[in-house]
Amino acid sequence: MPDDQSPEAQPERTQAEREILAAAAALFSELGFEGASLDAVAKRMGATKGRVYHYFRSKTALFCAVYQDAMDRLEARIAAAAAPHAEPAARLSAMAAAHVAALIEDRAAHRVGFIGIDAAARAAARADDHAALEALRRRQVSYEARFEAAIAAAAPAEAAPDGTAVKTFLLSLNGVLFFRAERQGARGGQKDALARRIARQALFGVLASATHTEETTKD
Amino acid sequence: MPDDQSPEAQPERTQAEREILAAAAALFSELGFEGASLDAVAKRMGATKGRVYHYFRSKTALFCAVYQDAMDRLEARIAAAAAPHAEPAARLSAMAAAHVAALIEDRAAHRVGFIGIDAAARAAARADDHAALEALRRRQVSYEARFEAAIAAAAPAEAAPDGTAVKTFLLSLNGVLFFRAERQGARGGQKDALARRIARQALFGVLASATHTEETTKD
DNA sequence: ATTGCGTCATACCGCCGCGTATGTATAGCT
DNA sequence: AGCTATACATACGCGGCGGTATGACGCAAT
């Protein structure tokens, strides 16, 4: 079995590859996986489809490359943000803020993965494309598991949030991907402040809701 | 000018229409607007495309009908849930729980509107389709404004949540649409309990986060 | 019986988009 | 100078899908 699907070893991208990936991320983000045609991706770079197919086997492979690079950068940032904190609550807070900040920058690539991965899986014909998409899904799951563990560590031991609460928490963080890109041109400090505000709101939700659970059952 | 686009007066749907709408809601929800073909919708009912086009002008019109009916039911439930409560906090809590409960049932139709409305707008060619989609968007906005007002009424007056907090709150509620349909076959009581838990988590997030705002700015 | 209308099914057109096959220009190597 | 590999552009095949045109079948009214 060839190990050409090694999910970690992506030594470097060519400038030509990065240009294609940037155009693909932008168009996949705007129009979705099915809505964005490879001709449109190529035209965005002033090129034609032959160039895209020279570097990527299929539309699905291009999709996977976009999201895989985004996950590389995201995981690096999360690891860097979580490392200096030993206190569980501070760790979780830093992770959440770093997660949202990473989504704000790199917005296009993360919209791609969050919204279009199902569509890509349906359109995939080749077996290796399916395998690459499945690897990406597993990577999403393991990434979310890291947050689940951080939440469990930060929450009071007698009232750990359940799976639904964790999913709701993560969706609150990922909600920035759906915000209209109107105020996209904010300063770096603005973005960090926005990320921290969203992270705090989501954190209050999980922790507080789990603390005194099943109290106000009646309206 | 004919007033056949009256957004409120939908006297009744035929049985044949309801069957088409149900099939369309299911397929649009599973495959998205672009991924679901009208042939597939028809085949799901054991019919052909001619039947669909006999009752709906276009694919976009079918899409709009699905979501419009769902919004009719949703707004009716919200109004019924909010009516008996005069206390702002209780009102908001009841509205949020009713919203999530309505999304859990009617899941397919609401996934359609939440996920596929942009794709439908891009694919729309006819002018009346664009007008119908625009009306649906305005309806979404006015619906969310109702929650925004309810939040402002329930929050302490000196710290009203801003637009970002409100959007994050609504996305937390709408997160159920993204949950995998694995545990879909839950009892009615289970669904209500799930809806209340999600609503409580989202509520704790907005209100608590807004109350002592900008406190833990540093990690 | 005939006419007309509602209710579909069937057949077909046109377009678009993925993928491929082929040509071409440039750079590097010998 | 030739030979080869890289890096594209161009052109085409082919299937799928939205939309339309046409026809068939039943039923109700006359």
Side-chain angles (χ1 to χ4, degrees):
Chain A
M1 59 185 82
D3 56 351
D4 55 352
Q5 65 188 19
S6 61
E8 311 296 9
Q10 225 75 21
E12 69 238 32
R13 300 278 192 192
T14 325
Q15 173 61 26
E17 284 173 321
R18 282 199 300 267
E19 189 182 353
I20 298 173
L21 288 172
L27 271 185
F28 283 156
S29 168
E30 293 173 16
L31 308 174
F33 178 79
E34 310 188 49
S37 73
L38 290 182
D39 292 285
V41 172
K43 183 181 292 180
R44 192 187 175 93
M45 314 181 300
T48 68
K49 207 169 35 180
R51 183 159 157 196
V52 178
Y53 273 96
H54 181 71
Y55 292 97
F56 299 95
R57 302 186 308 264
S58 65
K59 189 183 186 183
T60 307
L62 176 59
F63 173 90
C64 290
V66 168
Y67 190 47
Q68 192 166 330
D69 285 14
M71 285 298 291
D72 287 341
R73 295 188 292 267
L74 175 63
E75 290 188 346
R77 292 188 58 159
I78 291 294
H85 299 88
E87 187 70 24
R91 263 181 71 95
L92 177 57
S93 175
M95 285 171 62
H99 176 85
V100 179
L103 294 200
I104 292 177
E105 328 177 8
D106 246 349
R107 167 191 162 93
H110 282 287
R111 277 177 58 93
V112 167
F114 191 79
I115 300 176
I117 196 169
D118 289 352
R122 283 192 303 269
R126 308 165 57 121
D128 48 6
D129 284 345
H130 277 291
L133 286 168
E134 200 54 40
L136 281 181
R137 274 200 235 261
R138 283 196 301 270
R139 196 167 176 183
Q140 276 186 333
V141 171
S142 74
Y143 177 81
E144 293 178 0
R146 199 176 309 185
F147 268 93
E148 192 166 354
I151 292 174
E158 72 276 7
D162 60 341
T164 299
V166 173
K167 286 178 187 171
T168 300
F169 167 77
L170 288 170
L171 274 165
S172 301
L173 295 185
N174 294 332
V176 268
L177 297 178
F178 293 103
F179 289 0
R180 298 296 170 186
E182 54 220 12
R183 296 291 306 275
Q184 193 66 17
R187 291 287 171 209
Q190 298 270 49
K191 290 181 180 176
D192 275 8
L194 174 63
R196 277 199 294 269
R197 274 161 47 203
I198 294 175
R200 282 185 60 243
Q201 180 171 347
L203 277 174
F204 273 108
V206 247
L207 300 182
S209 172
T211 301
H212 30 82
T213 178
E214 296 303 325
E215 172 184 314
T216 56
T217 308
K218 204 60 179 304
D219 62 342
Chain B
M1 59 185 83
D3 56 353
D4 53 354
Q5 66 187 20
S6 59
E8 312 296 10
Q10 226 74 21
E12 70 239 30
R13 299 279 192 191
T14 326
Q15 173 62 26
E17 285 173 321
R18 282 198 300 266
E19 190 183 354
I20 298 174
L21 288 173
L27 271 186
F28 283 156
S29 167
E30 293 173 16
L31 309 175
F33 177 79
E34 310 187 50
S37 72
L38 290 182
D39 292 286
V41 172
K43 183 181 292 180
R44 192 186 175 93
M45 313 181 302
T48 68
K49 208 168 37 179
R51 184 158 155 196
V52 177
Y53 273 97
H54 180 72
Y55 292 97
F56 299 94
R57 304 184 307 264
S58 66
K59 190 183 186 182
T60 307
L62 176 60
F63 173 89
C64 290
V66 168
Y67 191 47
Q68 192 165 331
D69 285 14
M71 285 299 290
D72 286 342
R73 296 188 290 268
L74 175 64
E75 289 188 347
R77 291 188 59 160
I78 291 293
H85 299 87
E87 188 69 23
R91 262 181 73 95
L92 176 58
S93 175
M95 284 171 62
H99 176 85
V100 178
L103 294 200
I104 291 178
E105 327 176 9
D106 244 351
R107 167 190 163 90
H110 282 288
R111 277 177 59 91
V112 167
F114 192 78
I115 300 177
I117 196 169
D118 288 351
R122 282 191 302 268
R126 309 165 56 119
D128 47 6
D129 285 344
H130 275 292
L133 286 168
E134 201 53 40
L136 281 181
R137 272 200 235 263
R138 282 196 301 269
R139 195 167 178 183
Q140 276 186 331
V141 171
S142 74
Y143 177 82
E144 293 178 0
R146 200 176 307 185
F147 268 93
E148 193 166 353
I151 292 175
E158 72 277 7
D162 60 341
T164 300
V166 173
K167 285 179 187 171
T168 300
F169 167 77
L170 288 170
L171 274 166
S172 301
L173 296 184
N174 293 332
V176 269
L177 297 178
F178 292 103
F179 290 180
R180 297 294 168 187
E182 56 221 10
R183 296 291 308 276
Q184 193 65 17
R187 290 289 171 206
Q190 298 270 51
K191 290 180 182 178
D192 274 9
L194 174 62
R196 277 199 294 268
R197 274 161 46 203
I198 294 175
R200 282 186 59 246
Q201 181 171 347
L203 277 174
F204 273 107
V206 247
L207 300 183
S209 172
T211 301
H212 30 81
T213 177
E214 295 304 324
E215 171 183 317
T216 57
T217 306
K218 202 61 179 304
D219 62 341

